[in-house]
Amino acid sequence: MIEPKVFTVGQINRYIKNLLENDFILNSLLVQGEISNFKAHSSGHWYFTLKDAQGAISCVIFKQDASQIPFLPENGMKVILYGHVSLYEKTGQYQLYGEFLEPIGMGALQIAFEQMKEKLAAEGLFDADFKREIPEHVGCIAVVTSPTGAAVRDIIQIAKRRDPRVKLAIFPTLVQGESAAADIVRSLKLANEWGKADVIILGRGGGSMEDLWAFNEEIVVRAIFASELPVISAVGHETDFTIADFVSDLRAPTPSAAAELATEPLDSIKADLSELTERLHRDVQAVLTTSKRRLDFLKERPVLKRPLEGIRRTQVYLEEKERLLLRETLQRLEKDKQKLNAAESRLQAVSPFSIMQRGYAMLMDEKGKPVTTAEAAAVGQALQVRMKDGILQAEVTGKAVFTRGEKETIL
């Protein structure tokens, strides 16, 4: 009896994987469906489900292939995926391994364009508040473009024709291809660091969306936004639009138009200068006329025609004021003298020395303090008697103090 062969799960999965990968159809195919459950992993891999009315299949696009797809897939987007079918041995689940993704309807680049535009608009990079004014009188223009294209020739020709005095600094730049975006960013930084230009013209001639794609790259848009110098975008023809147009301070439909927007015709400058000269002449004449009238008016003033007359009037005025001041001062002194005499009379009337003139005397102790009561004096105490014409030395040999209307005697 033949023993049946027993297989492991891993062997079965590996066998099925080999079958799938060696199948002629499943090894390289295009699959159409609608994206759902899309997830862009931090590793850079994309995971999603591709479905239609009859079924669904899990899909993965690894980082290396995902980085080459210009747009970010979204749920509900109908696409065609190119890849192959294989099995993930760990789970036994078969899935589509995608290598490229193409949207149905709108092209991949157009979707990427709209997604980038929407993202940067939400951040405010296109807001009018951030737009810088283009200087009215530009002395130097930094031109960031290819040094060999028709765009640079048009810019030089038109700028010099309009204003021969304007200076042009050409920053040779790649404007197409994989390295173009980084090169544009480099040239924008160099123009700002150089610092001698008044404005930057960033542009190139026309082309397909693929040709102009460098001007839709996020690093270019952010470099334009960060520029300290105002930037005029001049990419492609009038019907061409790039995201650089939306973030720049001014969009020109063509490189030639950018040169016109950045410069002012010399004839216009001369006309402005002539007008300014004429206006200055009128203003100077007006100032001179006004000054002459004022001078004539001042010359007729009495103070200039008879300068001593004013001094004499002031002298008379001061002398009159001096007389009034002297009179008022004497009157005030007389009133104060009368008040002082009256006060002196009142003081004299209540002065103890006036009372002494009538025969009264004032007793004082040894220290000169007045003794006003008999009770305050002690028997044997030496006293001074102040009279109107001198002082007597005395001693208390006895005293009598009156209390309650009765007389007490101490001898």
Side-chain angles (χ1 to χ4, degrees), residues 340-411:
L340 182 60
N341 291 336
E344 184 179 1
S345 298
R346 288 195 299 272
L347 183 62
Q348 187 68 27
V350 296
S351 173
F353 297 105
S354 298
I355 298 174
M356 289 179 186
Q357 297 296 326
R358 298 200 295 270
Y360 293 94
M362 183 172 64
L363 292 179
M364 295 180 293
D365 62 14
E366 298 92 334
K367 296 180 180 180
K369 290 181 61 178
V371 179
T372 58
T373 63
E375 188 176 5
V379 176
Q381 180 181 358
L383 298 175
Q384 298 179 11
V385 182
R386 175 69 182 267
M387 305 184 73
K388 70 175 183 178
D389 60 347
I391 297 175
L392 300 178
Q393 299 293 332
E395 181 180 342
V396 179
T397 58
K399 74 175 183 177
V401 178
F402 301 101
T403 60
R404 297 189 183 93
E406 298 179 357
K407 182 178 179 182
E408 294 183 7
T409 305
I410 300 176
L411 298 174

Side-chain angles (χ1 to χ4, degrees), residues 123-311:
E123 293 183 26
L125 267 66
F126 307 154
D127 291 355
D129 293 342
F130 296 117
K131 303 295 184 186
R132 289 150 295 198
E133 293 289 336
I134 307 301
E136 289 186 8
H137 305 291
V138 173
C140 181
I141 302 172
V143 182
V144 176
T145 190
S146 169
T148 59
V152 69
R153 293 194 298 271
D154 292 343
I155 291 172
I156 294 173
Q157 179 183 358
I158 292 175
K160 285 297 184 181
R161 185 189 70 206
R162 287 170 62 84
D163 185 0
R165 304 168 309 156
V166 72
K167 296 178 181 178
L168 295 166
I170 311 300
F171 289 80
T173 308
L174 294 173
V175 293
Q176 186 174 333
E178 292 183 3
S179 303
D183 205 41
I184 292 170
V185 172
R186 177 192 62 81
S187 293
L188 288 172
K189 289 182 178 178
L190 283 176
N192 276 275
E193 291 171 359
W194 185 52
K196 296 180 180 180
D198 300 306
V199 67
I200 296 174
I201 293 179
L202 170 64
R204 56 154 289 161
S208 65
M209 178 172 273
E210 289 82 359
D211 295 338
L212 306 180
W213 190 253
F215 297 89
N216 294 319
E217 295 282 2
E218 184 172 359
I219 58 171
V220 172
V221 177
R222 295 194 182 279
I224 295 171
F225 185 79
S227 173
E228 295 182 5
L229 296 172
V231 178
I232 301 175
S233 66
V235 182
H237 301 302
E238 188 169 356
T239 55
D240 295 324
F241 277 90
T242 64
I243 299 179
D245 294 328
F246 297 101
V247 73
S248 295
D249 301 291
L250 183 64
R251 176 190 179 262
T254 62
S256 299
E260 292 184 0
L261 291 171
T263 57
E264 188 176 2
L266 187 58
D267 292 341
S268 176
I269 296 174
K270 289 180 178 178
D272 291 344
L273 183 60
S274 177
E275 183 181 347
L276 287 173
T277 303
E278 185 177 347
R279 187 187 304 171
L280 179 62
H281 179 72
R282 289 198 304 267
D283 291 344
V284 170
Q285 284 298 119
V287 170
L288 291 175
T289 301
T290 302
S291 299
K292 184 177 183 302
R293 289 174 181 172
R294 181 169 177 76
L295 180 60
D296 292 339
F297 172 76
L298 291 174
K299 283 166 60 178
E300 296 300 319
R301 294 286 300 273
V303 69
L304 292 178
K305 298 187 77 172
R306 296 180 298 277
L308 295 179
E309 183 176 338
I311 296 175

Side-chain angles (χ1 to χ4, degrees), residues 79-98:
V79 298
I80 295 176
L81 181 144
Y82 170 75
H84 66 277
V85 178
S86 187
L87 184 111
Y88 186 47
E89 294 183 44
K90 214 171 211 183
T91 62
Q93 179 183 9
Y94 82 94
Q95 55 189 5
L96 274 170
Y97 289 82

Side-chain angles (χ1 to χ4, degrees), residues 69-121:
I69 298 174
F71 67 96
L72 185 67
E74 297 176 352
N75 291 329
M77 185 180 289
K78 289 182 171 54
V79 298
I80 295 176
L81 181 144
Y82 170 75
H84 66 277
V85 178
S86 187
L87 184 111
Y88 186 47
E89 294 183 44
K90 214 171 211 183
T91 62
Q93 179 183 9
Y94 82 94
Q95 55 189 5
L96 274 170
Y97 289 82
E99 298 175 22
F100 191 74
L101 204 61
E102 180 70 29
I104 296 175
M106 188 181 294
L109 289 180
Q110 187 63 40
I111 291 176
F113 177 90
E114 296 298 335
Q115 288 178 340
M116 182 62 67
K117 180 182 173 184
E118 183 178 347
K119 171 188 174 182
L120 298 176

